[in-house]
Amino acid sequence: MAVLTEEHFSAFQMLLKAPSKDAVRQLCKDSFPSGAPESRQLIERAAATLSVSAGEAQRLLLALHTLSHHILFHSLVAPEQILALFPEAFHPSLKNLLTKILLEQSPTWRSEALANQISLPRLLEMDWRVDMKTASDSVSRMAVPTCLVHMKQVQHSQATPTLDSLSSVTVELSRETLDTMLDGLGRIRDQLSVVAGK
Amino acid sequence: LNIMSLMKKQVHYPMLARLAVGQTLMVNQLVDMEWKFGVTVGTSELQKVGNIFLQLKLVIRKGNSTENVYMELTLPQFYNFLHEMERAKASIDCFS
């Protein structure tokens, strides 16, 4: 995680050339995702909006990215905490505007970070169906109920954020297996309520 | 002697039937389920977190070998899963 330096704050001066407060807000939002400071498209757009060179625009995006991630990591939720990050001589209205925008965006960014954290494949959807087996090659007449459960999972990839890999599995359970599974799930629920009660 | 052989048939038939049904094809049969749950304390993006997660490992029989399927559930997803499985059990119990 990059450390906030004087250089980052001097890059913010470029925002004084922004055409509107919304343009600043948009830049803050666009610079947040990982990989944003390297995006050619984004650099060109920022350079055009602020009438600066591509190199300067990239410096700014990197600075915004570092600042927003620093605030998110340390969970800085009070305006004073964010204002304290800026150097003494920093432009006061720009400082207030940035603080306001970053505070506004923090809850969204926090839920995004939580949703995208590394984890095992996450359950997306789950369906079930109960069938009645009436015949097979070993028994010509029977009436055996069986349960089929279909689960869809998604694995988020940090490297390619737009390509989440979906997988699915269908599982067959006999009555006994379903009972045993429910036993296990019931135990989990009991343990969860103990933890929640503490 | 006739009565004895009749009784033997009556004793063994249900067991034989059960064995035959047990050999009936099952696709991706669930063989075992393991689980653990814990709390996420921090991540590279967020220094302090406090989310409960539940991880399930399902062991599935595919042909002659088994395959492990791992997944993570949030708490609401777990309660939904439990609820759906209870509904499935109620449905399957209708047929007993």
Side-chain angles (χ1 to χ4, degrees):
Chain A
M1 163 96 83
V3 174
L4 275 175
T5 63
E6 277 289 334
E7 239 208 70
H8 292 129
F9 288 105
S10 68
F12 294 145
Q13 305 291 338
M14 282 183 255
L15 289 171
L16 292 167
K17 295 207 250 169
S20 66
K21 289 188 179 165
D22 278 331
V24 178
R25 180 172 290 115
Q26 196 57 49
L27 278 167
C28 287
K29 281 161 82 163
D30 290 341
S31 64
F32 180 79
S34 57
E38 277 81 49
S39 152
R40 267 268 78 85
Q41 240 187 0
L42 194 53
I43 294 173
E44 275 162 30
R45 225 174 332 142
T49 311
L50 301 168
S51 317
V52 294
S53 71
E56 298 279 312
Q58 189 173 28
R59 258 186 66 218
L60 173 64
L61 289 172
L62 186 58
L64 281 172
H65 181 88
T66 309
L67 178 61
S68 50
H69 279 262
H70 178 91
I71 291 173
L72 186 65
F73 184 79
H74 293 283
S75 296
L76 302 179
V77 288
E80 306 79 53
Q81 289 171 311
I82 302 182
L83 290 168
L85 294 171
F86 290 84
E88 284 283 332
F90 199 84
H91 193 283
S93 27
L94 181 59
K95 180 165 63 167
N96 290 334
L97 175 64
L98 277 175
T99 304
K100 180 162 165 275
I101 294 174
L102 292 167
L103 276 177
E104 260 173 26
Q105 294 297 321
S106 283
T108 318
W109 286 336
R110 194 187 162 86
S111 6
E112 259 180 43
L114 282 173
N116 294 340
Q117 66 182 311
I118 53 167
S119 72
L120 291 180
R122 241 161 307 154
L123 181 67
L124 205 57
E125 245 179 60
M126 176 244 170
D127 299 305
W128 61 266
R129 162 178 122 185
V130 166
D131 283 346
M132 185 65 101
K133 291 199 242 206
T134 54
S136 80
D137 59 327
S138 39
V139 182
S140 68
R141 274 180 59 187
M142 60 175 165
V144 176
T146 185
C147 178
L148 286 164
V149 177
H150 176 76
M151 289 170 276
K152 271 201 209 128
Q153 305 138 325
V154 63
Q155 172 81 76
H156 177 80
S157 157
Q158 288 278 358
T160 48
T162 48
L163 299 168
D164 287 343
S165 59
L166 285 170
S167 59
S168 72
V169 66
T170 306
V171 172
E172 187 172 343
L173 295 85
S174 66
R175 208 151 152 259
E176 292 77 28
T177 314
L178 183 56
D179 284 340
T180 311
M181 186 193 223
L182 269 171
D183 254 345
L185 293 177
R187 251 177 284 152
I188 299 175
R189 182 195 47 204
D190 294 337
Q191 293 212 353
L192 281 171
S193 45
V194 167
V195 167
K198 285 210 183 114
Chain B
L1 273 168
N2 270 349
I3 298 171
M4 290 297 278
S5 57
L6 249 167
M7 277 179 70
K8 269 199 193 148
K9 272 197 202 148
Q10 280 178 334
V11 164
H12 287 295
Y13 181 68
M15 187 185 75
L16 287 173
R18 206 177 307 131
L19 282 173
V21 167
Q23 282 189 338
T24 303
L25 174 70
M26 279 196 93
V27 180
N28 287 359
Q29 183 182 17
L30 181 67
V31 171
D32 194 18
M33 176 177 91
E34 288 177 29
W35 52 268
K36 72 173 169 212
F37 69 85
V39 179
T40 303
V41 176
T43 75
S44 48
E45 296 289 308
L46 299 160
Q47 195 179 38
K48 292 201 192 98
V49 191
N51 281 11
I52 300 185
F53 63 83
L54 173 71
Q55 284 172 356
L56 283 182
K57 169 184 164 192
L58 301 171
V59 183
I60 296 174
R61 176 159 296 128
K62 286 195 154 177
N64 285 331
S65 60
T66 57
E67 181 185 306
N68 298 334
V69 173
Y70 298 91
M71 63 183 106
E72 200 166 295
L73 283 75
T74 62
L75 236 42
Q77 280 179 321
F78 164 70
Y79 286 115
N80 183 53
F81 188 72
L82 174 59
H83 178 66
E84 290 300 318
M85 289 288 91
E86 282 174 344
R87 284 172 84 198
K89 175 170 159 65
S91 180
I92 226 176
D93 278 346
C94 284
F95 297 108
S96 53

